[in-house]
Amino acid sequence: MNSFNTIWANGRGNLATWLLWGLAAVFVVYTFASGGYLIAVLQFALIYTVLVTGLNIFMGFTGQVSFGHNAFAAIGGYSSAVLTATYGWEPLPAGLVGLAGALLCALVIGYPVLRLRGHYLAMATLAIGLIVYEVAVQWQSVTQGYMGISGIAPIGIGRFTITSDRGLLVFLMIAAALALLSAAGIRRSRLGRAFVAAAGSEDAARALGIDVARYKLIAFMISAAYAAIAGSLFAHAVGFVSPEVFGLPMVVMSFTMLYVGGIGTIAGPALGAIIISVLPESFRTFKDYQDLAYGAALIVILIYAPRGLASLPELWARWRRRSA
Amino acid sequence: MFNLVAQSVLSGIGIGAVYGLIGIGFCVIYNASGIVNFAQGAFVMLGGMLTNVGMIKLGLPLPLAAIGAIAIVAMLGVVLERIVVRPLWNRGSTMFVMILATLAAQIVVERITQIMAGDQPRTLPVFTDLPPLRLFGFAINFQFLWILGCSALVIILLGLFFSSTKTGKAMRACSINRDAAALQGIRVSRMLALAFALSAALGAFAGILITPTQYTAFNVGVPFAISGFIAAIVGGFGRPLGAFAGGILLGVAQALAIVLLGAAFKNVAALSILLLFLFVRPTGLLGPAK
């Protein structure tokens, strides 16, 4: 179900999806050539691609719910920020510490929390996100509270750092592509098949000998890892982190991207992230209305196109039938 | 020290009663539909904000402003049900999608409030402006008495509504078995709208009661909703009286955590209670509703 093969490559869907890909490619090339502010927008979209891809593994493939992945992004982002800006570490080891921290937290939190279902699971994960936010606000000696941490060094290894906007863009493109490719690899592997089986029916999966609890935990940890990497990338790309960056709006925005692109598909996260990042930028005057627009868009999508752009061909076919 | 602890337990009971009312709001919708409405916090926030606006912009006296605010919020509850919940409900969406949609609605309401009213915290005057009562060496605020009295009244009225009015009985029938209720000629969808109105009014009322002792701003909704949700879980989801007891337990635990461990531990205490109940006794104090 819900896999790359069945949704993105089925006959009628092709034209619309290739058109979208074409538009995305044209946009990327145009941005690269023209430079300026659009580059920052695209960088942002690529970072979110990594986060949403992780969310997709947990929610799309495994059929679970997490409202708390901003917690893992915050752990990654703050580890990178504190270790490089305050303690002068290299970006790579700092990011790895953040990754390890997020994995450890996901293991410790996931073990009890993933036994829950439905609204219990939703509320427990939401609470985790809020707790980490609270820690970021309160633990002022390390996180500097609401002020946030600025002056985070750009990404790089040793003396080789990426300082130019275009260089960073290429780097983030590679990172996002790796995220998507690894998600595709996971989806096709034994692991991915187990995830999808657990999403379909836990009882049936169990009957096939799949240790559902264990695979849910693995999916949770993998998606937490993506979130932590996205958090670290954000810290270095923007050079600034604060609790607000990793607040509840981040959760809603990542869900919007996931649903716009198409939950459960491989490429959906990238498409959703680019569209949701670019659209508000084309209406810059409405900056204040951004979260409002994300929320409203999410509601409309959930009601009318629950599988995102992937379901557009279907809607189109239905509309044609009705008007014919 | 003893005095300080006892005093904070008292204030914890007051805040806990408010959590309990919010928790009952969760139960009312859950019982009528099986939906968990994550936009519950928006109602609480709007209750306080709209009352404040009514008093300051329109110059209304507090009771009028409060009644107006509750009425408007109840209508907004129906609007939420009509434009967000109903379409999803008709399509048979999964519970997760419903949660996500109501959470998105929460954010939308929050942002609209922020744009229209700014991000400055606001407050309401206390209902009775007299120095606190002195009883056995404790200071008891009048607002505390208002909170306890009003929430007790609300619970009695709700109890009467559900046990002796036709509409209340119809709502209970829906919570027992929706299909059977529909076969009896009960309009299940109308009950759903009514449940949202009732729940929104409860939330707004809770928000108005608590605002004089704290403050309100566009972003206070989510923390209140989480406290109310924890209260509902502690009480056994779907059991209004349990939710109220759970709210008081939560309020007291938070107050004790603040006075004994420090203010930063307020939410840690709340979350610990949530996790404790989820893992050890997920059916809550009173057991499940059905």
Side-chain angles (χ1 to χ4, degrees), chain A residues 31-44:
Chain A
T31 305
F32 201 80
S34 73
Y37 187 72
L38 266 183
I39 285 198
V41 175
L42 193 56
Q43 288 172 350
F44 180 81

Side-chain angles (χ1 to χ4, degrees), chain A residues 34-82:
Chain A
S34 73
Y37 187 72
L38 266 183
I39 285 198
V41 175
L42 193 56
Q43 288 172 350
F44 180 81
L46 291 168
I47 293 169
Y48 260 91
T49 301
V50 177
L51 175 69
V52 177
T53 301
L55 209 54
N56 191 29
I57 289 174
F58 188 60
M59 290 178 37
F61 296 175
T62 322
Q64 301 300 305
V65 183
S66 170
F67 287 92
H69 266 59
N70 54 339
F72 302 117
I75 290 171
Y78 267 104
S79 301
S80 285
V82 171

Side-chain angles (χ1 to χ4, degrees), chain B residues 55-93:
Chain B
M55 289 182 71
I56 287 174
K57 294 261 160 158
L58 307 177
L60 296 172
L62 178 66
L64 264 186
I67 291 169
I70 291 173
I72 293 174
V73 174
M75 274 187 278
L76 287 176
V78 178
V79 170
L80 175 74
E81 193 270 339
R82 285 285 148 172
I83 64 174
V84 178
V85 174
R86 178 66 57 91
L88 292 170
W89 169 270
N90 287 342
R91 224 171 27 115
S93 294

Side-chain angles (χ1 to χ4, degrees), chain A residues 25-36 38-39 42 166 169 173:
Chain A
V26 168
F27 172 70
V28 168
V29 172
Y30 171 75
T31 305
F32 201 80
S34 73
L38 266 183
I39 285 198
L42 193 56
R166 283 190 174 79
L169 185 63
M173 273 180 193

Side-chain angles (χ1 to χ4, degrees), chain B residues 161-228:
Chain B
F161 171 72
F162 280 119
S163 66
S164 43
T165 67
K166 203 171 173 185
T167 318
K169 284 178 187 166
M171 282 180 79
R172 266 171 53 216
C174 289
S175 78
I176 294 165
N177 187 326
R178 239 163 283 147
D179 296 329
L183 287 173
Q184 301 293 319
I186 294 170
R187 297 207 182 170
V188 177
S189 71
R190 190 173 289 178
M191 292 302 136
L192 183 59
L194 188 64
F196 268 85
L198 195 57
S199 171
L202 274 170
F205 190 55
I208 295 167
L209 283 176
I210 194 68
T211 301
T213 69
Q214 304 187 348
Y215 67 94
T216 187
F218 73 98
N219 58 0
V220 300
V222 173
F224 273 126
I226 288 180
S227 302

Side-chain angles (χ1 to χ4, degrees), chain B residues 231-237 239 242-243 245-247 249 277 281-288:
Chain B
I233 284 186
V234 169
F237 216 89
R239 307 195 57 144
L249 181 72
F277 270 85
R281 195 171 163 74
T283 53
L285 288 173
L286 301 183

Side-chain angles (χ1 to χ4, degrees), chain A residues 59-136:
Chain A
M59 290 178 37
F61 296 175
T62 322
Q64 301 300 305
V65 183
S66 170
F67 287 92
H69 266 59
N70 54 339
F72 302 117
I75 290 171
Y78 267 104
S79 301
S80 285
V82 171
L83 291 177
T84 55
T86 314
Y87 296 99
W89 284 34
E90 286 283 309
L92 186 64
L96 287 177
V97 168
L99 183 61
L103 280 173
L104 188 67
C105 284
L107 178 67
V108 172
I109 294 165
Y111 188 72
V113 163
L114 293 178
R115 294 193 331 197
L116 306 170
R117 285 161 198 243
H119 51 265
Y120 294 103
L121 178 60
M123 186 48 94
T125 49
L126 181 66
I128 290 161
L130 289 169
I131 286 283
V132 170
Y133 175 87
E134 193 83 11
V135 169

